[in-house]
Amino acid sequence: MAFRQHKLGAAGVGLMLGFSMMITLFGPSNDFRSGVSTWVGLDKQLSLGRLIGFSYEDPTVSGEGKPITVILDKDPKTGAAIDPPVRAYVYKAGTKFSPGINHNELLGPGVEELSTGIGKIGSASMSSGAVFTVSKGEFNGEEVDYIENTTATRGWTPDAALRTAGDENTRYVGKGKTIYITEGCWWCHTLLPEQTQDWQAFGAPPFLGDFNGEMPTAFGSDRKAPDILHVAARNSSREWMTMHFFNPRLVQPNSIMPRFNYLWGRTDINGNPIDIKAWSKEYDEYLAGNRIYPPEVPEPARDSEVRALIDWVLTSLK
Amino acid sequence: MLMKYLFAKNDEIPAGSATIFFGFSSIFWFVVGTGLGSFNAAKLAFPDWVTGTELFAFGHMRQVHVLAVIVGWISMAFGMTMMYMTPALGNTRLWSEKLGLWTVFLWNVGLSLGLILLWMGITSGREYSDLIWPIDLVVIFGVLVPLGINVWMTIAHRKTQGIYITNWFFGACIFMVTITILVGQSPEIFNLTGLTEAYLTFWHAHNLLGLWITPVAAGIAYYTIPKLTGNPLYSHRIGHLHFWAIIAFYSTPASHHLMSAPLPEWLKSFASVEGVLILIPAVAFVANILLTMKGKWSLFVENLETKFSITGVLLAIPLNMQGGFQQTRAINWYVHGTGWIVAHAHLALLGMSSFLEAAAVYFGLQQMLRRKLYSLTLGNLHYWFFIIGFCIYWISMTIAGLIQGAGKIYEVPYIDVVVAEHPYMIARWVGGTMVFTGNVVWLYNMWMTAREGTLVPEGRYPHELAYER
Amino acid sequence: MGFKMDQPLYSLSDEQEQDEILKMWESEKHGGLWEGNNRLPMPMVILMALIILTAFMITMPIWGQRPTAAIYQDHIKLMESPEVQRLATPEEKMKYVADTAMQMAKSKGDSRLVGDLERHPLTWDDLLNIAPGIKEVQSGKSKYAIDNYTVLGDRIVLANFEGNFVKSSPAFNGPGGMKSGADDYRERKQPWWDRGYSIDVFYVSYFCLVVAFIVKRLPHFSRKPNMAKAK
């Protein structure tokens, strides 16, 4: 009889915890699976790629190997005009596909059938790259958005799409969200307007199906700053964003957001070196009243991290 | 010295070595963690303080603070208490002192590595699971499993018939936190996405606190209070009620962290009932400990370790009152995402939990070193810096949170909330810095204790000698 | 089975009872499930019951529930009335609509509606945005009733609740009438038996049962082991 308390105890703990896990983990798994991807959900997963944060293809979490979002106003193959312009997601050769392409069941009923059927996403190949768009179709009498593999359906190739779009219509959304994660923006900003009160100030809360295929969701829990799920709908000025990231107090004197001037890298868009120390000195003179205007904010280089971050904010957070 | 013991034969390692290394590591990480906290608070109060480099950017430092405190200080203090309480309560020796030393070694190496990576921005971007999954595997297989084996084997080889409640907590919580981390990391390893990922992130975050940080701290109090006061525990049965209620009710309400996300509503209803039921273990715990103190309340004033311990237990009362009710639909919409929650989290980690562990680390280190505390004055200084700093922090963040909540529901432009919160951000920094200062004093005091503290004769307890010369 | 109060710091059980527990603990089978067990101290039982009661009461659907689209029904009716059309600015219009709707709610004596309206004010633009959705539901195009919808941003959407099962036609459509037809659906509002609560009731009862068995079979910790029996 002696010395058996720990055996019974271990079994008891296991049973109790197992039961609790059954309710809280197994219980809702069906509900999660039933979410049908919305346009937002499809746009998110196609523009963000396989996963943000540490992964095999991006071990230093610098935003490499992510898809590129382009706005096309011409057909890359035929050159015919497209009106209104369409958003396309360019996966260069070797870029890992977003989860829904390989695991179609993540797309949800309806979207899955259309994407694999008329969308032909099954024929996309990681080694040669692909260009995807989100198209509208009909399933069982209801309108659904689905993924179209335009490389198969219209012959758009990644290179052609990037060339047609040009730099001004290219948005480094996947890299931008990566910067959002590594720089810890989500420690203060949330991506989850609350269902009860927030929507008048911060816009609509996200819907079921807005997240399918997104990882990490980075809702944030500790709000020291405004919710930014729809920030681009409130303020879509690239100039404002640029100044605000360089030093938020240039445009909002009471802000407590850190300066993200280090995201500019070493040089600006024209290849001129950026001297942050000199800038700060001039800015301090401006604060002291010795200058009328604050110093100019350098224009970010094409491959700078802040360019990608602003791209993501202005493209995804509408 | 650690290196020497890592490759020594188990029998040649003096008993208590693991405790001592764990103890000093935990205090070291506490100093680091609170130092980072104070630095971060300064950045919130004065955003133009250190700028121009990503190394000292708030977004790079914030998670390092959180994990240094949770995995470094709190969990290592748990490891330390497990190394000496488990054998003491089983009337036996630690199963393997060598394994314990390896655990503390791997823990420090793994944690340092993980924190440096986080600092550089190599993160998984998931709250409380920020460490990238390879590091998490180190945490599980290099730290928790060896620690667990040591504790489980010590319990299994005990020379008492019953298992004391503290050991129930230790044994079960190591198992449960291992499961929690495994499940919590699965989205990264298996690339689970969307709402599943969001839910598992908070399932992990909730259970990390609920099945590890608060219950183990409570388990520690079940040892320290009877030991320090000489009173037997008021009721072992109520202790068991506490234990089983923790497993049942603390492991279930994870979804109350996502009341506003499009999770299934039934899950939220379920979670908010379970959330209030957290009061059952809380009431059992607080009642049990405070009743144990009966007749010995003078020790709350006279004895340093009791002072720390009882402060922690008293802080558990507001902690659970907040925790039980703030997650219901009726209150959550007001306080969710505000500084109120930050205050609540610090009440749990810096208030209730840290005070209980500090008592156990004070007590255990003196016990294992067989040396009396170097300076009681410095000890008291630590206590008062700690409690006053904590109260400043807690109260200021609670007020800031209420302002923020009001701003949220009355649609006040956010920048006005920022302006209104500014004084409380400064207060938060002052409070955090006081805690940090106190901890620096503590580290010095403990270091001097190890080197110069008066030796305690066989058969006496260090705390009995506190006022003797 | 009484309580012994003279040595409360040691135990509430008397010596004889302690002895019985120990004897049982030495000899019992199956964790003491079947032998005469002892109670938890009564105050703890009462406190536990109180907490369980509070937990269910405070999370009842009546508290802090999200507003359904139904609370703005009066707004929609009012916004097209000639009184409102005559007003010039959106602010004036909204003030009139909100005040009148509040009056109507108060005259109905529905304190829940009054509270919801107080907590969830709207701007005129918001109202214009959600009006078409509410009208569409009211016109009967949707099989769901208006209170199955929540207002989220500028849209009204079906809530995530799983409510009562609604059979589209009362006709017999299977053995016992239980077979679900293609058009049957679940209401999207919180029912009194909400799945979460139901699981809670079950879970709490299970907990009490398990803990009763586990806790009651433990002897006092000061029990010294009988090492002769140990292996």
Side-chain angles (χ1 to χ4, degrees):
Chain A
M1 218 56 282
F3 294 129
R4 47 135 217 214
Q5 212 178 2
H6 63 266
K7 287 183 190 159
L8 269 175
V13 170
L15 273 175
M16 206 90 159
L17 186 69
F19 196 36
S20 128
M21 283 171 69
M22 223 174 79
I23 299 175
T24 57
L25 294 178
F26 184 69
S29 60
N30 253 331
D31 299 84
F32 291 146
R33 228 174 291 142
S34 64
V36 181
S37 288
T38 56
W39 183 87
V40 176
L42 294 177
D43 173 62
K44 260 192 200 165
Q45 71 154 297
L46 286 173
S47 58
L48 300 180
R50 188 174 80 98
L51 65 88
I52 304 279
F54 176 82
S55 63
Y56 293 121
E57 61 264 27
D58 187 12
T60 58
V61 201
S62 56
E64 300 309 315
K66 296 278 177 282
I68 298 167
T69 306
V70 293
I71 318 280
L72 295 173
D73 51 8
K74 291 202 292 254
D75 189 309
K77 186 150 184 239
T78 62
I82 305 178
D83 188 46
V86 63
R87 203 181 268 197
Y89 313 91
V90 179
Y91 284 70
K92 287 195 253 186
T95 302
K96 290 273 201 313
F97 283 161
S98 68
I101 307 285
N102 298 329
H103 303 277
N104 310 129
E105 68 279 3
L106 287 178
L107 300 172
V111 184
E112 182 185 352
E113 282 80 355
L114 289 185
S115 303
T116 48
I118 50 177
K120 293 192 183 165
I121 57 172
S123 61
S125 129
M126 207 112 68
S127 53
S128 53
V131 180
F132 298 101
T133 55
V134 178
S135 309
K136 287 212 180 302
E138 212 183 79
F139 186 75
N140 287 348
E142 282 187 37
E143 194 185 64
V144 283
D145 297 291
Y146 69 95
I147 304 176
E148 184 178 344
N149 173 16
T150 56
T151 311
T153 57
R154 301 188 223 177
W156 295 359
T157 60
D159 286 342
L162 284 176
R163 218 174 323 112
T164 315
D167 185 59
E168 68 275 18
N169 284 328
T170 302
R171 309 271 186 272
Y172 298 99
V173 173
K175 184 175 173 187
K177 169 113 191 232
T178 315
I179 306 298
Y180 180 78
I181 298 295
T182 53
E183 295 308 321
C185 311
W186 53 291
W187 292 121
C188 301
H189 293 282
T190 50
L191 291 176
L192 186 70
E194 291 175 19
Q195 289 183 347
T196 40
Q197 294 296 338
D198 269 356
W199 56 275
Q200 290 173 15
F202 298 135
F207 298 93
L208 189 70
D210 278 2
F211 316 100
N212 290 17
E214 190 188 11
M215 155 85 195
T217 40
F219 287 154
S221 63
D222 173 7
R223 195 189 273 175
K224 297 187 268 293
D227 188 279
I228 56 167
L229 188 66
H230 303 291
V231 68
R234 303 195 286 273
N235 180 352
S236 61
S237 159
R238 190 168 276 266
E239 289 69 38
W240 190 94
M241 290 288 166
T242 313
M243 286 171 83
H244 189 253
F245 276 121
F246 200 82
N247 183 343
R249 280 154 294 284
L250 286 173
V251 285
Q252 177 46 271
N254 290 317
S255 168
I256 58 165
M257 180 165 136
R259 300 181 193 182
F260 285 96
N261 45 18
Y262 55 86
L263 294 180
W264 262 248
R266 290 174 193 278
T267 54
D268 67 5
I269 192 164
N270 300 318
N272 302 323
I274 297 173
D275 188 346
I276 288 175
K277 272 197 185 128
W279 191 94
S280 297
K281 217 174 135 203
E282 288 177 28
Y283 177 70
D284 289 342
E285 281 176 20
Y286 160 73
L287 286 184
N290 298 334
R291 282 171 64 110
I292 302 172
Y293 298 111
E296 283 288 309
V297 170
E299 203 175 327
R302 285 203 177 81
D303 59 348
S304 64
E305 290 173 328
V306 72
R307 152 80 193 266
L309 187 54
I310 296 176
D311 277 352
W312 174 69
V313 169
L314 293 181
T315 313
S316 279
L317 304 183
K318 281 253 167 89
Chain B
M1 200 155 85
L2 179 60
M3 288 299 157
K4 189 178 87 188
Y5 286 141
L6 282 180
F7 299 102
K9 277 193 188 122
N10 191 29
D11 296 340
E12 288 166 7
I13 304 172
S17 304
T19 311
I20 292 166
F21 280 106
F22 259 119
F24 277 99
S25 306
S26 70
I27 304 177
F28 168 75
W29 284 110
F30 200 14
V31 171
V32 171
T34 48
L36 285 168
S38 156
F39 183 82
N40 290 347
K43 300 211 73 161
L44 286 175
F46 313 107
D48 277 332
W49 188 32
V50 182
T51 60
T53 161
E54 63 180 348
L55 277 188
F56 299 107
F58 180 84
H60 282 254
M61 306 277 280
R62 198 263 197 195
Q63 62 273 47
V64 182
H65 157 66
V66 172
L67 288 168
V69 172
I70 292 182
V71 188
W73 152 241
I74 291 181
S75 301
M76 276 210 189
F78 287 166
M80 183 262 190
T81 52
M82 286 169 186
M83 292 295 115
Y84 80 89
M85 286 182 188
T86 315
L89 289 168
N91 204 4
T92 178
R93 280 191 60 165
L94 189 62
W95 186 65
S96 165
E97 202 75 44
K98 190 173 171 180
L99 186 63
L101 286 168
W102 271 100
T103 314
V104 70
F105 173 71
L106 284 176
W107 199 327
N108 277 308
V109 171
L111 180 64
S112 309
L113 192 66
L115 290 187
I116 289 170
L117 290 177
L118 271 192
W119 196 353
M120 290 160 58
I122 301 179
T123 169
S124 61
R126 303 172 58 231
E127 191 165 4
Y128 290 109
S129 341
D130 313 72
L131 292 171
I132 58 175
W133 61 264
I135 298 287
D136 278 302
L137 294 183
V138 174
V139 170
I140 292 170
F141 295 107
V143 174
L144 288 173
V145 171
L147 184 71
I149 291 175
N150 225 345
V151 168
W152 297 325
M153 291 311 275
T154 309
I155 293 176
H157 288 130
R158 72 192 183 280
K159 298 205 172 66
T160 57
Q161 193 144 27
I163 302 175
Y164 185 62
I165 190 68
T166 301
N167 275 350
W168 280 86
F169 272 112
F170 285 175
C173 287
I174 298 178
F175 170 70
M176 293 193 292
V177 79
T178 310
I179 299 286
T180 299
I181 296 182
L182 274 175
V183 174
Q185 292 308 316
S186 60
E188 287 167 48
I189 298 172
F190 303 113
N191 196 11
L192 307 179
T193 59
L195 265 187
T196 315
E197 183 271 329
Y199 177 57
L200 283 180
T201 301
F202 280 93
W203 190 88
H204 168 268
H206 178 88
N207 287 355
L208 189 63
L209 297 185
L211 298 181
W212 178 243
I213 289 171
T214 37
V216 181
I220 289 172
Y222 280 125
Y223 176 85
T224 43
I225 293 294
K227 198 81 181 171
L228 291 164
T229 57
N231 283 344
L233 185 65
Y234 176 72
S235 162
H236 196 234
R237 290 209 168 118
I238 301 179
H240 263 273
L241 171 65
H242 173 202
F243 175 75
W244 295 100
I246 285 271
I247 304 178
F249 299 136
Y250 239 130
S251 64
T252 37
S255 60
H256 69 213
H257 293 256
L258 291 172
M259 277 296 193
S260 265
L263 291 178
E265 293 290 334
W266 71 262
L267 193 63
K268 297 183 199 168
S269 308
F270 173 70
S272 56
V273 180
E274 298 292 309
V276 183
L277 292 176
I278 284 177
L279 282 169
I280 290 183
V283 166
F285 167 60
V286 174
N288 210 354
I289 295 288
L290 295 187
L291 286 168
T292 307
M293 282 296 285
K294 207 165 184 186
K296 296 287 174 65
W297 276 99
S298 58
L299 287 176
F300 181 34
V301 182
E302 288 166 4
N303 177 267
L304 185 63
E305 292 86 1
T306 316
K307 205 186 287 183
F308 268 103
S309 243
I310 290 298
T311 309
V313 176
L314 292 177
L315 287 175
I317 300 171
L319 169 70
N320 290 293
M321 283 296 168
Q322 284 187 350
F325 294 109
Q326 74 190 13
Q327 47 78 32
T328 56
R329 282 192 176 97
I331 301 174
N332 187 268
W333 64 282
Y334 196 89
V335 297
H336 183 253
T338 68
W340 171 284
I341 305 297
V342 181
H344 173 74
H346 280 82
L347 178 57
L349 297 174
L350 183 62
M352 181 243 179
S353 191
S354 284
F355 275 95
L356 293 175
E357 287 126 36
V361 173
Y362 264 113
F363 180 70
L365 275 181
Q366 294 179 59
Q367 190 86 299
M368 287 299 151
L369 292 163
R370 299 307 300 167
R371 281 174 191 274
K372 193 175 121 183
L373 193 63
Y374 172 67
S375 163
L376 196 62
T377 314
L378 288 181
N380 276 314
L381 197 69
H382 173 216
Y383 174 81
W384 288 108
F385 263 78
F386 198 167
I387 185 71
I388 294 173
F390 163 73
C391 286
I392 293 175
Y393 186 99
W394 180 41
I395 294 166
S396 65
M397 282 320 288
T398 302
I399 298 174
L402 292 174
I403 293 174
Q404 221 178 327
K408 181 168 81 171
I409 65 162
Y410 295 115
E411 310 286 341
V412 176
Y414 202 89
I415 193 65
D416 295 343
V417 176
V418 173
V419 174
E421 277 184 328
H422 185 64
Y424 303 102
M425 290 293 170
I426 297 178
R428 158 194 226 182
W429 169 62
V430 171
T433 309
M434 281 184 76
V435 174
F436 169 61
T437 316
N439 289 337
V440 174
V441 171
W442 186 23
L443 185 58
Y444 171 76
N445 198 7
M446 270 305 163
W447 184 251
M448 294 308 282
T449 304
R451 298 184 66 111
E452 291 180 13
T454 316
L455 282 171
V456 177
E458 279 298 317
R460 301 289 306 270
Y461 285 125
H463 63 275
E464 293 174 348
L465 307 180
Y467 291 98
E468 293 175 18
R469 286 181 187 280
Chain C
M1 199 181 300
F3 294 119
K4 186 191 60 156
M5 303 304 283
D6 57 338
Q7 256 191 310
L9 290 182
Y10 177 75
S11 169
L12 286 177
S13 317
D14 55 30
E15 294 305 322
Q16 191 200 346
E17 209 176 318
Q18 281 286 336
D19 282 346
E20 279 169 14
I21 298 167
L22 294 182
K23 218 159 77 209
M24 181 183 74
W25 199 70
E26 291 281 295
S27 61
E28 72 199 353
K29 297 277 186 294
H30 305 115
L33 245 69
W34 318 116
E35 274 95 317
N37 288 310
N38 296 293
R39 310 179 63 99
L40 279 176
M42 192 45 91
M44 286 305 297
V45 177
I46 294 172
L47 209 50
M48 254 178 74
L50 196 67
I51 291 170
I52 293 174
L53 198 69
T54 315
F56 282 93
M57 295 284 280
I58 199 171
T59 48
M60 281 292 272
I62 52 171
W63 307 112
Q65 192 58 65
R66 234 167 275 132
T68 66
I71 69 169
Y72 299 121
Q73 274 174 316
D74 290 337
H75 292 61
I76 305 292
K77 269 182 230 148
L78 284 166
M79 66 188 279
E80 276 158 10
S81 64
E83 292 88 349
V84 175
Q85 299 297 332
R86 236 175 281 139
L87 296 169
T89 64
E91 287 77 22
E92 284 173 18
K93 287 182 181 175
M94 198 60 223
K95 190 169 183 311
Y96 176 84
V97 171
D99 290 349
T100 321
M102 183 63 91
Q103 289 296 327
M104 290 164 80
K106 278 182 182 154
S107 63
K108 273 182 219 159
D110 186 350
S111 62
R112 234 176 109 182
L113 181 58
V114 173
D116 271 345
L117 286 176
E118 267 170 7
R119 282 196 298 271
H120 302 284
L122 277 180
T123 65
W124 182 250
D125 286 347
D126 295 330
L127 193 57
L128 288 182
N129 279 330
I130 61 172
I134 295 183
K135 280 184 202 154
E136 192 180 322
V137 176
Q138 281 173 334
S139 70
K141 270 190 192 161
S142 164
K143 59 187 172 189
Y144 296 100
I146 183 71
D147 59 356
N148 284 207
Y149 287 85
T150 26
V151 175
L152 288 188
D154 55 359
R155 276 184 269 175
I156 64 165
V157 294
L158 275 177
N160 281 342
F161 288 113
E162 282 176 63
N164 289 316
F165 199 64
V166 179
K167 293 185 88 61
S168 52
S169 72
F172 179 77
N173 52 5
M178 292 301 287
K179 199 179 159 206
S180 57
D183 292 336
D184 297 352
Y185 66 98
R186 282 198 178 280
E187 277 187 314
R188 299 294 195 97
K189 60 181 181 184
Q190 196 169 20
W192 65 269
W193 55 265
D194 183 300
R195 190 161 137 207
Y197 288 104
S198 314
I199 301 177
D200 268 313
V201 173
F202 172 61
Y203 194 72
V204 171
S205 340
Y206 151 88
F207 168 79
C208 295
L209 208 69
V210 168
V211 165
F213 285 132
I214 291 175
V215 170
K216 284 178 176 179
R217 61 170 295 278
L218 293 164
H220 195 277
F221 177 67
S222 61
R223 165 90 181 112
K224 285 278 179 290
N226 182 348
M227 297 307 286
K229 283 187 168 189
K231 283 186 187 154

